[in-house]
Amino acid sequence: MLVVDDATVVRLYYRQILEREGYRVEEAINGIEGLEKALQTPFDLCIVDVNMPMMDGYTFLHALRREPITHAMPALMTTSEACAEDHRTALKAGANAYLVKPVSRDQLALYVAALLGRSVA
């Protein structure tokens, strides 16, 4: 699983939750690094922030969807942007789901399991 977020605290928070759920987690600090990692390593899922330096989450998702190796990878967008237009923009960019920060432990675990087609305990 790939977590793409420029905030160290957010990446660590997601890592702790996901590793407790049994997932292997890789991190990237922006969309460019995330795209490079995604093209080198197949991931089951990508969790991506919207607002990041160098390449934002929308641009990252557009690029991810253009590449044959990553076009079908599920993507969960997490952001502090809460309006309906932001949600539509995320889905148009290629997000499979959208969560507004702060994201709870249970919320993250539930969405990740659902996107991966796994049952939730």
Side-chain angles (χ1 to χ4, degrees), residues 1-8 10-19 22-30 33-49 52 60 73 76 108 112:
M1 183 163 319
L2 179 62
V3 175
V4 186
D5 198 303
D6 59 318
T8 304
V10 172
R11 290 193 316 272
L12 291 174
Y13 173 66
Y14 291 170
R15 175 184 283 279
Q16 288 175 344
I17 293 167
L18 296 167
E19 286 181 344
Y23 300 109
R24 183 183 61 83
V25 179
E26 291 290 326
E27 299 177 16
I29 61 170
N30 60 53
E33 183 182 359
L35 189 58
E36 288 172 355
K37 287 186 175 193
L39 293 173
Q40 292 174 9
T41 306
F43 291 99
D44 294 336
L45 174 75
C46 178
I47 300 171
V48 61
D49 183 28
M52 297 180 289
F60 168 79
M73 179 173 37
L76 170 59
L108 185 63
V112 166

Side-chain angles (χ1 to χ4, degrees), residues 81-100:
E81 310 296 329
C83 77
E85 184 58 34
D86 294 318
H87 192 164
R88 280 191 293 278
T89 302
L91 295 176
K92 286 179 183 177
N96 298 92
Y98 183 89
L99 286 174
V100 177

